[in-house]
């Protein structure tokens, strides 16, 4: 009778990708530990930052353990797509927290012990973002390699587009009863749902069951999403600011700041879908000799 022997893959820790993950693990742990020690992270922004650091720490630890024990091939998913999508998502989440946390909780002058710990936590969060960004760069597919879709530029852009849409949803306010703004919300929702389904189906290895050429379908979807976001880029600022002046004072929860944030995020996603369309078209219709 044969017995299963557990194997340990040390390259999961000693490779460049493994080292980047170890740095991200330690830095995310330092970030939430320092902020937790201050006891000053209440409110939605503080809760979001703490969730980001804890979530990234937990998933990165899980990824390292599964690769170290070589258990990832046993999972019913595309491991390379999952790790590529997570590293991109973690980089975006930590970058957002690195901007939001100091802007919300650090005041000038910074002289107290609590403020010093918050400043160090911000520094470790920025370094954590660099660690995840390095992992994204190291695992990004080379030109011509599409074995892992979410590690290609179009795949990484899908994660970016879905994340930006989530940020837009968090800022939406006061759009009921206005057809122009409701159309924009419909654009954000439809594009987010389809982009999220593409990511989930890719990780779950379900794209092969789609009864149509996947690459050409993605090009068509990117083109439609680009047109829809183009209309939202025009309609959202037109209807949300028309006949309304900026209130004074205008705090962090001010409707003007939220609508301005949605405007810029809409433009970011418009550019992302444009770049996505260009890369997807090149992958499908332009063949390297």
């Amino acid at each position: 009778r044969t017995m299963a022997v557990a194997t340990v893959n040390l390259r999961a820790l000693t490779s460049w990708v493994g080292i980047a993950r170890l740095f991200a693990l330690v830095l995310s742990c330092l970030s939430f530990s320092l902020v937790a020690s201050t006891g000053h992270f209440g409110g939605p922004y503080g809760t979001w930052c703490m969730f980001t650091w804890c979530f990234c720490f937990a998933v990165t630890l899980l990824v390292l353990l599964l690769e170290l024990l070589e258990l990832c091939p046993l999972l019913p998913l595309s491991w390379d797509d999952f790790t590529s999508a997570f590293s991109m998502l973690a980089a975006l989440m930590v970058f957002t927290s690195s901007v939001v946390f100091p802007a919300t909780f650090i005041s000038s002058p910074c002289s107290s012990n609590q403020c010093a710990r918050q400043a160090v936590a911000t520094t470790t969060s920025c370094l954590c973002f660099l660690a995840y960004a390095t992992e994204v760069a190291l695992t990004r597919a080379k030109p011509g390699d599409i074995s892992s879709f979410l590690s290609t530029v179009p795949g990484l852009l899908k994660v970016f587009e879905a994340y930006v849409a989530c940020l837009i949803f968090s800022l939406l306010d006061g759009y009921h009863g206005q057809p122009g703004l409701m159309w924009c919300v419909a654009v954000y929702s439809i594009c987010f749902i389809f982009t999220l389904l593409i990511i989930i189906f890719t990780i779950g290895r379900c794209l092969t069951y789609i009864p149509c050429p996947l690459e050409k379908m993605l090009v068509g979807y990117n083109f439609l999403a680009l047109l829809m976001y183009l209309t939202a880029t025009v309609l959202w600022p037109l209807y949300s600011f028309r006949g309304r002046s900026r209130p004074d004072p205008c705090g962090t929860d001010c409707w003007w700041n939220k609508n301005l944030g949605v405007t810029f995020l809409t433009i970011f996603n418009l550019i992302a879908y444009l770049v996505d369309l260009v890369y997807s078209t090149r992958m499908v219709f332009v063949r390297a000799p």
Side-chain angles (χ1 to χ4, degrees):
R1 181 179 298 180
T2 59
M3 296 181 61
V5 180
T7 59
V8 176
N9 178 22
L10 292 179
R11 276 193 55 80
L13 303 178
T14 58
S15 64
W16 287 114
V17 174
I19 293 173
R21 288 171 179 164
L22 284 174
F23 272 107
L25 184 74
V26 173
L27 291 167
S28 59
C29 180
L30 285 174
S31 297
F32 74 72
S33 299
L34 285 168
V35 174
S37 68
T38 66
H40 186 58
F41 52 89
Y45 296 114
T47 302
W48 162 255
C49 294
M50 285 293 286
F51 167 77
T52 294
W53 295 319
C54 294
F55 170 76
C56 293
F57 170 81
V59 178
T60 303
L61 179 61
L62 180 63
V63 168
L64 283 171
L65 288 176
L66 290 175
E67 290 205 346
L68 182 65
L69 300 177
E70 295 188 334
L71 298 176
C72 44
L74 303 178
L75 300 177
L77 50 82
S78 174
W79 183 252
D80 290 338
D81 284 309
F82 170 75
T83 53
S84 296
F86 167 70
S87 60
M88 182 64 176
L89 177 63
L92 294 170
M93 293 176 66
V94 173
F95 175 77
T96 306
S97 298
S98 301
V99 175
V100 169
F101 181 78
T104 306
F105 292 96
I106 298 181
S107 58
S108 180
C110 184
S111 56
S112 64
N113 179 265
Q114 173 181 286
C115 184
R117 280 180 285 176
Q118 290 172 335
V120 175
T122 301
T123 303
T124 58
S125 182
C126 292
L127 294 175
C128 185
F129 159 71
L130 292 178
Y132 281 118
T134 301
E135 182 183 349
V136 172
L138 291 172
T139 57
R140 188 173 71 85
K142 304 300 184 292
D145 179 16
I146 56 173
S147 57
S148 174
F149 172 70
L150 292 182
S151 64
T152 63
V153 173
L156 295 173
L157 284 172
K158 288 287 182 291
V159 180
F160 177 84
E161 292 154 5
Y163 181 74
V164 172
C166 289
L167 293 180
I168 290 175
F169 293 145
S170 69
L171 296 175
L172 290 177
D173 187 20
Y175 58 87
H176 297 286
Q178 303 189 56
L181 297 183
M182 293 180 69
W183 162 253
C184 295
V185 175
V187 169
Y188 305 142
S189 303
I190 293 171
C191 293
F192 170 75
I193 292 172
F194 276 95
T195 302
L196 185 63
L197 287 176
I198 292 172
I199 296 172
I200 294 175
F201 285 177
T202 302
I203 295 176
R205 298 174 178 172
C206 300
L207 292 178
T208 55
Y209 298 105
I210 298 178
C212 58
L214 174 63
E215 296 84 359
K216 295 182 179 180
M217 184 198 73
L218 290 176
V219 171
Y221 163 69
N222 289 331
F223 180 71
L224 291 176
L226 178 66
L227 292 180
M228 293 173 69
Y229 258 91
L230 185 60
T231 63
T233 304
V234 176
L235 294 177
W236 180 266
L238 178 64
Y239 281 92
S240 59
F241 295 111
R242 185 177 59 181
R244 306 173 72 186
S245 59
R246 186 178 187 273
D248 186 22
C250 188
T252 55
D253 290 330
C254 175
W255 65 267
W256 176 279
N257 290 338
K258 290 182 178 180
N259 289 346
L260 187 63
V262 172
T263 300
F264 280 106
L265 291 173
T266 302
I267 295 173
F268 292 159
N269 248 2
L270 175 69
I271 297 173
Y273 277 109
L274 175 61
V275 177
D276 196 352
L277 176 63
V278 172
Y279 268 90
S280 300
T281 303
R282 289 182 58 186
M283 289 174 61
V284 174
F285 298 107
V286 180
R287 301 296 182 182

